[in-house]
Amino acid sequence: MSRNEPPSQKLASVSFASASSLVLLQLGSRLFTFVLNQILVRLVSPQVFGTAAIQFELLLSTILFLSREGIRNALLRASPSNGTEPGKSRNPSPLISNIALLPILLGIPITVLSAFTYLYTSSYTTTSQPHFRLAVTIYALAAFCELLSEPLYIRAQNELRFDVRVRAEGAAVAFKTVTAFLVLVLSPPEWALVAFALGQAAYGLITLVEFLRVYGRDSEFWLRKVTIDVHGNKVTQYFDPTMLHLSAAMTIQSVVKHFLTEGDKFLVSRLSPLADQGGYAVASNYGSLIARIVFQPIEETSRIFFSKTLSSSSTNAQEDLQTASNTLSVLLLLFTHLFLLLITFAPPYLPLALTLVLPSRYLQTSAPAILRTYVYYIPTMAFNGVLEAFFASTATPADLRAQSRWMLACSVGFVGASVGFARVLGLGDAGLVWANILNLWLRASYAWFFVKRFFESRGVGKMVQLRNNVPPFGVLCTFAASAIVTRWSGRTFGDAPLTLHAQFGHVAIGVTSVAACLVAW
């Protein structure tokens, strides 16, 4: 990294390196968990897997999201100390580090309230499973254990020390999956729910230990009082007022955002039988592999990059805006190509893939229908993720309030669309995913119009144009030709058994067509 390199380009270099590290982390951890999940779904019933992967995960995400998401996003805008290079440790301002402790303080009532609400609103079919209450208690404690590492996580993110997070999460995922697997194998079947709970507890504990190993000596878990001089008067403060106000606005908004993000799981956990919840969980785990491996790291590093590049004043404002717009355009163009790849090749090859990957007892659940909808859900998540990352990095509290009203309208629309798609149109659980797709497109559209206004208000509206996100005509023609060829091939081999040997010609045509599309790209 050159000393003469502009700050925005230094940050871009660090962000690219961090995205690469996080992609590798997600790739390794997801492949590891994918293999173990292939074993786990064969060890437990769809009912148990549905309870653990839908209901328990929903409880966990509710506690974590409501306790930390708004504060985590707000503190990304905290200005670094002068002269601090990315990746180097520094002691944050007490007024900022005090805010970083709020997820722990918020986590106590949110954990207790969420756990009790879940316990006393669950159906008898769910609560009558062996050791159900013990498993819920362990999940709640695991969530709070993970929240204890949040101040250190925020510090690592602001210092751009992504290696700390990669080591912590990589080790935690490994311990989580191995713990759940060993308990399932070595214990009687009635301890299955507890096995998943102990795996999550191992994740929270290892995450905390790894962050403490790096920051333990100079980390503090109590609020520090700061005395400042205001017009000659000594005033005591605990929090930076601007950051506290922004954190509060983002935390309030996170309630609506959490419902929209996890709305399908809320409805599935209440409306679908446990066996179908298991099918939904399997489909969600398989269908979102690409999103978790690639898009989640890109979204997180984009949020950091845009926050650090655009949230503070800079002498190179024009250059920073150009760097940010170029980065956003490249990511949106990348996601457009992914969308084309999925809609071109997934439909003709999904029947064969489902037969090879899904256990036979899950073929009779809602899993196959749900996975077919993920062809459209995955790229929608990608577009929405990076656009909302830009919004979260640059929005003022007034912008957040306006977006909250839009999200509230989207939540009403989501519930209506869910009922319409699932019940009226008879799409079942797949209808919930279609409703989520509609919801995400509405949110992405709102964020896109915000992006346009953001650049136009700075006199550089031409930096972001919709046509920059569309591939050239030749690439579109190649994808269209491939779509026609692979669908013709699918009909030709339609009567052959769904095995690799019998479908070899169909697979060969698909591989050749993918290669042609990648070359055109």
Side-chain angles (χ1 to χ4, degrees), residues 495-514:
D495 295 330
L498 291 175
T499 64
L500 282 175
H501 178 73
Q503 298 277 335
F504 179 77
H506 183 40
V507 173
I509 290 173
V511 171
T512 304
S513 299
V514 168

mmCIF file with all atom_site columns, all heavy atoms in Angstrom, residues 495-514:
data_model
loop_
_atom_site.group_PDB
_atom_site.id
_atom_site.type_symbol
_atom_site.label_atom_id
_atom_site.label_alt_id
_atom_site.label_comp_id
_atom_site.label_asym_id
_atom_site.label_entity_id
_atom_site.label_seq_id
_atom_site.pdbx_PDB_ins_code
_atom_site.Cartn_x
_atom_site.Cartn_y
_atom_site.Cartn_z
_atom_site.occupancy
_atom_site.B_iso_or_equiv
_atom_site.pdbx_formal_charge
_atom_site.auth_seq_id
_atom_site.auth_comp_id
_atom_site.auth_asym_id
_atom_site.auth_atom_id
_atom_site.pdbx_PDB_model_num
ATOM 1   N N   . ASP A 1 495 ? -37.347 -38.098 -20.314 1.00 0.00 ? 495 ASP A N   1
ATOM 2   C CA  . ASP A 1 495 ? -37.802 -39.438 -19.941 1.00 0.00 ? 495 ASP A CA  1
ATOM 3   C C   . ASP A 1 495 ? -36.694 -40.285 -19.329 1.00 0.00 ? 495 ASP A C   1
ATOM 4   O O   . ASP A 1 495 ? -36.961 -41.409 -18.888 1.00 0.00 ? 495 ASP A O   1
ATOM 5   C CB  . ASP A 1 495 ? -38.374 -40.148 -21.175 1.00 0.00 ? 495 ASP A CB  1
ATOM 6   C CG  . ASP A 1 495 ? -39.623 -39.447 -21.696 1.00 0.00 ? 495 ASP A CG  1
ATOM 7   O OD1 . ASP A 1 495 ? -40.339 -38.849 -20.875 1.00 0.00 ? 495 ASP A OD1 1
ATOM 8   O OD2 . ASP A 1 495 ? -39.854 -39.489 -22.922 1.00 0.00 ? 495 ASP A OD2 1
ATOM 9   N N   . ALA A 1 496 ? -35.460 -39.799 -19.331 1.00 0.00 ? 496 ALA A N   1
ATOM 10  C CA  . ALA A 1 496 ? -34.344 -40.574 -18.778 1.00 0.00 ? 496 ALA A CA  1
ATOM 11  C C   . ALA A 1 496 ? -34.355 -40.482 -17.248 1.00 0.00 ? 496 ALA A C   1
ATOM 12  O O   . ALA A 1 496 ? -34.815 -39.502 -16.674 1.00 0.00 ? 496 ALA A O   1
ATOM 13  C CB  . ALA A 1 496 ? -33.022 -40.036 -19.318 1.00 0.00 ? 496 ALA A CB  1
ATOM 14  N N   . PRO A 1 497 ? -33.852 -41.540 -16.562 1.00 0.00 ? 497 PRO A N   1
ATOM 15  C CA  . PRO A 1 497 ? -33.782 -41.498 -15.088 1.00 0.00 ? 497 PRO A CA  1
ATOM 16  C C   . PRO A 1 497 ? -32.931 -40.317 -14.615 1.00 0.00 ? 497 PRO A C   1
ATOM 17  O O   . PRO A 1 497 ? -32.000 -39.883 -15.312 1.00 0.00 ? 497 PRO A O   1
ATOM 18  C CB  . PRO A 1 497 ? -33.122 -42.845 -14.731 1.00 0.00 ? 497 PRO A CB  1
ATOM 19  C CG  . PRO A 1 497 ? -33.363 -43.714 -15.915 1.00 0.00 ? 497 PRO A CG  1
ATOM 20  C CD  . PRO A 1 497 ? -33.362 -42.810 -17.111 1.00 0.00 ? 497 PRO A CD  1
ATOM 21  N N   . LEU A 1 498 ? -33.247 -39.814 -13.432 1.00 0.00 ? 498 LEU A N   1
ATOM 22  C CA  . LEU A 1 498 ? -32.521 -38.671 -12.872 1.00 0.00 ? 498 LEU A CA  1
ATOM 23  C C   . LEU A 1 498 ? -31.247 -39.145 -12.182 1.00 0.00 ? 498 LEU A C   1
ATOM 24  O O   . LEU A 1 498 ? -31.091 -39.079 -10.954 1.00 0.00 ? 498 LEU A O   1
ATOM 25  C CB  . LEU A 1 498 ? -33.420 -37.900 -11.906 1.00 0.00 ? 498 LEU A CB  1
ATOM 26  C CG  . LEU A 1 498 ? -34.588 -37.149 -12.548 1.00 0.00 ? 498 LEU A CG  1
ATOM 27  C CD1 . LEU A 1 498 ? -35.482 -36.534 -11.484 1.00 0.00 ? 498 LEU A CD1 1
ATOM 28  C CD2 . LEU A 1 498 ? -34.096 -36.083 -13.515 1.00 0.00 ? 498 LEU A CD2 1
ATOM 29  N N   . THR A 1 499 ? -30.308 -39.609 -13.002 1.00 0.00 ? 499 THR A N   1
ATOM 30  C CA  . THR A 1 499 ? -28.983 -40.003 -12.533 1.00 0.00 ? 499 THR A CA  1
ATOM 31  C C   . THR A 1 499 ? -27.951 -39.347 -13.434 1.00 0.00 ? 499 THR A C   1
ATOM 32  O O   . THR A 1 499 ? -28.248 -39.003 -14.598 1.00 0.00 ? 499 THR A O   1
ATOM 33  C CB  . THR A 1 499 ? -28.793 -41.527 -12.574 1.00 0.00 ? 499 THR A CB  1
ATOM 34  O OG1 . THR A 1 499 ? -28.869 -41.976 -13.943 1.00 0.00 ? 499 THR A OG1 1
ATOM 35  C CG2 . THR A 1 499 ? -29.851 -42.232 -11.741 1.00 0.00 ? 499 THR A CG2 1
ATOM 36  N N   . LEU A 1 500 ? -26.727 -39.181 -12.909 1.00 0.00 ? 500 LEU A N   1
ATOM 37  C CA  . LEU A 1 500 ? -25.683 -38.549 -13.710 1.00 0.00 ? 500 LEU A CA  1
ATOM 38  C C   . LEU A 1 500 ? -25.381 -39.349 -14.973 1.00 0.00 ? 500 LEU A C   1
ATOM 39  O O   . LEU A 1 500 ? -25.113 -38.780 -16.045 1.00 0.00 ? 500 LEU A O   1
ATOM 40  C CB  . LEU A 1 500 ? -24.410 -38.394 -12.866 1.00 0.00 ? 500 LEU A CB  1
ATOM 41  C CG  . LEU A 1 500 ? -24.388 -37.234 -11.867 1.00 0.00 ? 500 LEU A CG  1
ATOM 42  C CD1 . LEU A 1 500 ? -23.119 -37.272 -11.026 1.00 0.00 ? 500 LEU A CD1 1
ATOM 43  C CD2 . LEU A 1 500 ? -24.487 -35.893 -12.589 1.00 0.00 ? 500 LEU A CD2 1
ATOM 44  N N   . HIS A 1 501 ? -25.411 -40.684 -14.874 1.00 0.00 ? 501 HIS A N   1
ATOM 45  C CA  . HIS A 1 501 ? -25.104 -41.516 -16.037 1.00 0.00 ? 501 HIS A CA  1
ATOM 46  C C   . HIS A 1 501 ? -26.159 -41.332 -17.123 1.00 0.00 ? 501 HIS A C   1
ATOM 47  O O   . HIS A 1 501 ? -25.832 -41.108 -18.305 1.00 0.00 ? 501 HIS A O   1
ATOM 48  C CB  . HIS A 1 501 ? -25.024 -42.984 -15.611 1.00 0.00 ? 501 HIS A CB  1
ATOM 49  C CG  . HIS A 1 501 ? -24.767 -43.913 -16.760 1.00 0.00 ? 501 HIS A CG  1
ATOM 50  N ND1 . HIS A 1 501 ? -23.528 -44.004 -17.378 1.00 0.00 ? 501 HIS A ND1 1
ATOM 51  C CD2 . HIS A 1 501 ? -25.600 -44.785 -17.423 1.00 0.00 ? 501 HIS A CD2 1
ATOM 52  C CE1 . HIS A 1 501 ? -23.600 -44.895 -18.359 1.00 0.00 ? 501 HIS A CE1 1
ATOM 53  N NE2 . HIS A 1 501 ? -24.842 -45.385 -18.403 1.00 0.00 ? 501 HIS A NE2 1
ATOM 54  N N   . ALA A 1 502 ? -27.421 -41.402 -16.735 1.00 0.00 ? 502 ALA A N   1
ATOM 55  C CA  . ALA A 1 502 ? -28.491 -41.296 -17.730 1.00 0.00 ? 502 ALA A CA  1
ATOM 56  C C   . ALA A 1 502 ? -28.623 -39.875 -18.281 1.00 0.00 ? 502 ALA A C   1
ATOM 57  O O   . ALA A 1 502 ? -29.054 -39.683 -19.430 1.00 0.00 ? 502 ALA A O   1
ATOM 58  C CB  . ALA A 1 502 ? -29.814 -41.734 -17.103 1.00 0.00 ? 502 ALA A CB  1
ATOM 59  N N   . GLN A 1 503 ? -28.262 -38.886 -17.493 1.00 0.00 ? 503 GLN A N   1
ATOM 60  C CA  . GLN A 1 503 ? -28.408 -37.487 -17.901 1.00 0.00 ? 503 GLN A CA  1
ATOM 61  C C   . GLN A 1 503 ? -27.083 -36.882 -18.357 1.00 0.00 ? 503 GLN A C   1
ATOM 62  O O   . GLN A 1 503 ? -26.938 -35.652 -18.412 1.00 0.00 ? 503 GLN A O   1
ATOM 63  C CB  . GLN A 1 503 ? -28.957 -36.667 -16.722 1.00 0.00 ? 503 GLN A CB  1
ATOM 64  C CG  . GLN A 1 503 ? -30.332 -37.073 -16.244 1.00 0.00 ? 503 GLN A CG  1
ATOM 65  C CD  . GLN A 1 503 ? -31.431 -36.447 -17.081 1.00 0.00 ? 503 GLN A CD  1
ATOM 66  O OE1 . GLN A 1 503 ? -31.256 -35.410 -17.686 1.00 0.00 ? 503 GLN A OE1 1
ATOM 67  N NE2 . GLN A 1 503 ? -32.585 -37.104 -17.127 1.00 0.00 ? 503 GLN A NE2 1
ATOM 68  N N   . PHE A 1 504 ? -26.115 -37.732 -18.719 1.00 0.00 ? 504 PHE A N   1
ATOM 69  C CA  . PHE A 1 504 ? -24.770 -37.235 -19.040 1.00 0.00 ? 504 PHE A CA  1
ATOM 70  C C   . PHE A 1 504 ? -24.796 -36.234 -20.198 1.00 0.00 ? 504 PHE A C   1
ATOM 71  O O   . PHE A 1 504 ? -24.135 -35.192 -20.163 1.00 0.00 ? 504 PHE A O   1
ATOM 72  C CB  . PHE A 1 504 ? -23.843 -38.407 -19.390 1.00 0.00 ? 504 PHE A CB  1
ATOM 73  C CG  . PHE A 1 504 ? -22.451 -37.981 -19.751 1.00 0.00 ? 504 PHE A CG  1
ATOM 74  C CD1 . PHE A 1 504 ? -21.539 -37.615 -18.771 1.00 0.00 ? 504 PHE A CD1 1
ATOM 75  C CD2 . PHE A 1 504 ? -22.059 -37.888 -21.092 1.00 0.00 ? 504 PHE A CD2 1
ATOM 76  C CE1 . PHE A 1 504 ? -20.258 -37.194 -19.103 1.00 0.00 ? 504 PHE A CE1 1
ATOM 77  C CE2 . PHE A 1 504 ? -20.787 -37.460 -21.436 1.00 0.00 ? 504 PHE A CE2 1
ATOM 78  C CZ  . PHE A 1 504 ? -19.882 -37.116 -20.437 1.00 0.00 ? 504 PHE A CZ  1
ATOM 79  N N   . GLY A 1 505 ? -25.566 -36.548 -21.251 1.00 0.00 ? 505 GLY A N   1
ATOM 80  C CA  . GLY A 1 505 ? -25.632 -35.638 -22.394 1.00 0.00 ? 505 GLY A CA  1
ATOM 81  C C   . GLY A 1 505 ? -26.214 -34.293 -22.019 1.00 0.00 ? 505 GLY A C   1
ATOM 82  O O   . GLY A 1 505 ? -25.724 -33.232 -22.454 1.00 0.00 ? 505 GLY A O   1
ATOM 83  N N   . HIS A 1 506 ? -27.259 -34.303 -21.196 1.00 0.00 ? 506 HIS A N   1
ATOM 84  C CA  . HIS A 1 506 ? -27.883 -33.057 -20.727 1.00 0.00 ? 506 HIS A CA  1
ATOM 85  C C   . HIS A 1 506 ? -26.892 -32.231 -19.919 1.00 0.00 ? 506 HIS A C   1
ATOM 86  O O   . HIS A 1 506 ? -26.785 -31.005 -20.093 1.00 0.00 ? 506 HIS A O   1
ATOM 87  C CB  . HIS A 1 506 ? -29.107 -33.423 -19.896 1.00 0.00 ? 506 HIS A CB  1
ATOM 88  C CG  . HIS A 1 506 ? -29.898 -32.253 -19.409 1.00 0.00 ? 506 HIS A CG  1
ATOM 89  N ND1 . HIS A 1 506 ? -30.155 -31.134 -20.172 1.00 0.00 ? 506 HIS A ND1 1
ATOM 90  C CD2 . HIS A 1 506 ? -30.501 -32.018 -18.193 1.00 0.00 ? 506 HIS A CD2 1
ATOM 91  C CE1 . HIS A 1 506 ? -30.869 -30.266 -19.475 1.00 0.00 ? 506 HIS A CE1 1
ATOM 92  N NE2 . HIS A 1 506 ? -31.085 -30.782 -18.281 1.00 0.00 ? 506 HIS A NE2 1
ATOM 93  N N   . VAL A 1 507 ? -26.141 -32.911 -19.045 1.00 0.00 ? 507 VAL A N   1
ATOM 94  C CA  . VAL A 1 507 ? -25.144 -32.218 -18.217 1.00 0.00 ? 507 VAL A CA  1
ATOM 95  C C   . VAL A 1 507 ? -24.026 -31.647 -19.097 1.00 0.00 ? 507 VAL A C   1
ATOM 96  O O   . VAL A 1 507 ? -23.569 -30.512 -18.881 1.00 0.00 ? 507 VAL A O   1
ATOM 97  C CB  . VAL A 1 507 ? -24.574 -33.165 -17.147 1.00 0.00 ? 507 VAL A CB  1
ATOM 98  C CG1 . VAL A 1 507 ? -23.412 -32.507 -16.409 1.00 0.00 ? 507 VAL A CG1 1
ATOM 99  C CG2 . VAL A 1 507 ? -25.658 -33.582 -16.162 1.00 0.00 ? 507 VAL A CG2 1
ATOM 100 N N   . ALA A 1 508 ? -23.586 -32.408 -20.102 1.00 0.00 ? 508 ALA A N   1
ATOM 101 C CA  . ALA A 1 508 ? -22.509 -31.943 -20.983 1.00 0.00 ? 508 ALA A CA  1
ATOM 102 C C   . ALA A 1 508 ? -22.926 -30.687 -21.745 1.00 0.00 ? 508 ALA A C   1
ATOM 103 O O   . ALA A 1 508 ? -22.139 -29.738 -21.899 1.00 0.00 ? 508 ALA A O   1
ATOM 104 C CB  . ALA A 1 508 ? -22.134 -33.056 -21.970 1.00 0.00 ? 508 ALA A CB  1
ATOM 105 N N   . ILE A 1 509 ? -24.171 -30.652 -22.206 1.00 0.00 ? 509 ILE A N   1
ATOM 106 C CA  . ILE A 1 509 ? -24.672 -29.457 -22.896 1.00 0.00 ? 509 ILE A CA  1
ATOM 107 C C   . ILE A 1 509 ? -24.686 -28.264 -21.943 1.00 0.00 ? 509 ILE A C   1
ATOM 108 O O   . ILE A 1 509 ? -24.335 -27.139 -22.306 1.00 0.00 ? 509 ILE A O   1
ATOM 109 C CB  . ILE A 1 509 ? -26.075 -29.736 -23.469 1.00 0.00 ? 509 ILE A CB  1
ATOM 110 C CG1 . ILE A 1 509 ? -25.979 -30.714 -24.642 1.00 0.00 ? 509 ILE A CG1 1
ATOM 111 C CG2 . ILE A 1 509 ? -26.747 -28.434 -23.915 1.00 0.00 ? 509 ILE A CG2 1
ATOM 112 C CD1 . ILE A 1 509 ? -27.318 -31.178 -25.168 1.00 0.00 ? 509 ILE A CD1 1
ATOM 113 N N   . GLY A 1 510 ? -25.079 -28.511 -20.682 1.00 0.00 ? 510 GLY A N   1
ATOM 114 C CA  . GLY A 1 510 ? -25.098 -27.438 -19.695 1.00 0.00 ? 510 GLY A CA  1
ATOM 115 C C   . GLY A 1 510 ? -23.723 -26.884 -19.398 1.00 0.00 ? 510 GLY A C   1
ATOM 116 O O   . GLY A 1 510 ? -23.527 -25.666 -19.331 1.00 0.00 ? 510 GLY A O   1
ATOM 117 N N   . VAL A 1 511 ? -22.733 -27.781 -19.245 1.00 0.00 ? 511 VAL A N   1
ATOM 118 C CA  . VAL A 1 511 ? -21.367 -27.341 -18.963 1.00 0.00 ? 511 VAL A CA  1
ATOM 119 C C   . VAL A 1 511 ? -20.820 -26.514 -20.120 1.00 0.00 ? 511 VAL A C   1
ATOM 120 O O   . VAL A 1 511 ? -20.198 -25.459 -19.928 1.00 0.00 ? 511 VAL A O   1
ATOM 121 C CB  . VAL A 1 511 ? -20.461 -28.566 -18.691 1.00 0.00 ? 511 VAL A CB  1
ATOM 122 C CG1 . VAL A 1 511 ? -18.997 -28.146 -18.614 1.00 0.00 ? 511 VAL A CG1 1
ATOM 123 C CG2 . VAL A 1 511 ? -20.873 -29.261 -17.398 1.00 0.00 ? 511 VAL A CG2 1
ATOM 124 N N   . THR A 1 512 ? -21.078 -26.972 -21.341 1.00 0.00 ? 512 THR A N   1
ATOM 125 C CA  . THR A 1 512 ? -20.613 -26.232 -22.524 1.00 0.00 ? 512 THR A CA  1
ATOM 126 C C   . THR A 1 512 ? -21.272 -24.853 -22.600 1.00 0.00 ? 512 THR A C   1
ATOM 127 O O   . THR A 1 512 ? -20.612 -23.841 -22.897 1.00 0.00 ? 512 THR A O   1
ATOM 128 C CB  . THR A 1 512 ? -20.930 -27.025 -23.799 1.00 0.00 ? 512 THR A CB  1
ATOM 129 O OG1 . THR A 1 512 ? -20.346 -28.325 -23.709 1.00 0.00 ? 512 THR A OG1 1
ATOM 130 C CG2 . THR A 1 512 ? -20.380 -26.311 -25.031 1.00 0.00 ? 512 THR A CG2 1
ATOM 131 N N   . SER A 1 513 ? -22.554 -24.802 -22.307 1.00 0.00 ? 513 SER A N   1
ATOM 132 C CA  . SER A 1 513 ? -23.276 -23.528 -22.369 1.00 0.00 ? 513 SER A CA  1
ATOM 133 C C   . SER A 1 513 ? -22.798 -22.558 -21.288 1.00 0.00 ? 513 SER A C   1
ATOM 134 O O   . SER A 1 513 ? -22.661 -21.353 -21.535 1.00 0.00 ? 513 SER A O   1
ATOM 135 C CB  . SER A 1 513 ? -24.780 -23.769 -22.226 1.00 0.00 ? 513 SER A CB  1
ATOM 136 O OG  . SER A 1 513 ? -25.267 -24.586 -23.275 1.00 0.00 ? 513 SER A OG  1
ATOM 137 N N   . VAL A 1 514 ? -22.542 -23.076 -20.083 1.00 0.00 ? 514 VAL A N   1
ATOM 138 C CA  . VAL A 1 514 ? -22.009 -22.221 -19.011 1.00 0.00 ? 514 VAL A CA  1
ATOM 139 C C   . VAL A 1 514 ? -20.667 -21.636 -19.423 1.00 0.00 ? 514 VAL A C   1
ATOM 140 O O   . VAL A 1 514 ? -20.397 -20.439 -19.222 1.00 0.00 ? 514 VAL A O   1
ATOM 141 C CB  . VAL A 1 514 ? -21.874 -23.022 -17.698 1.00 0.00 ? 514 VAL A CB  1
ATOM 142 C CG1 . VAL A 1 514 ? -21.055 -22.231 -16.684 1.00 0.00 ? 514 VAL A CG1 1
ATOM 143 C CG2 . VAL A 1 514 ? -23.241 -23.338 -17.119 1.00 0.00 ? 514 VAL A CG2 1
#
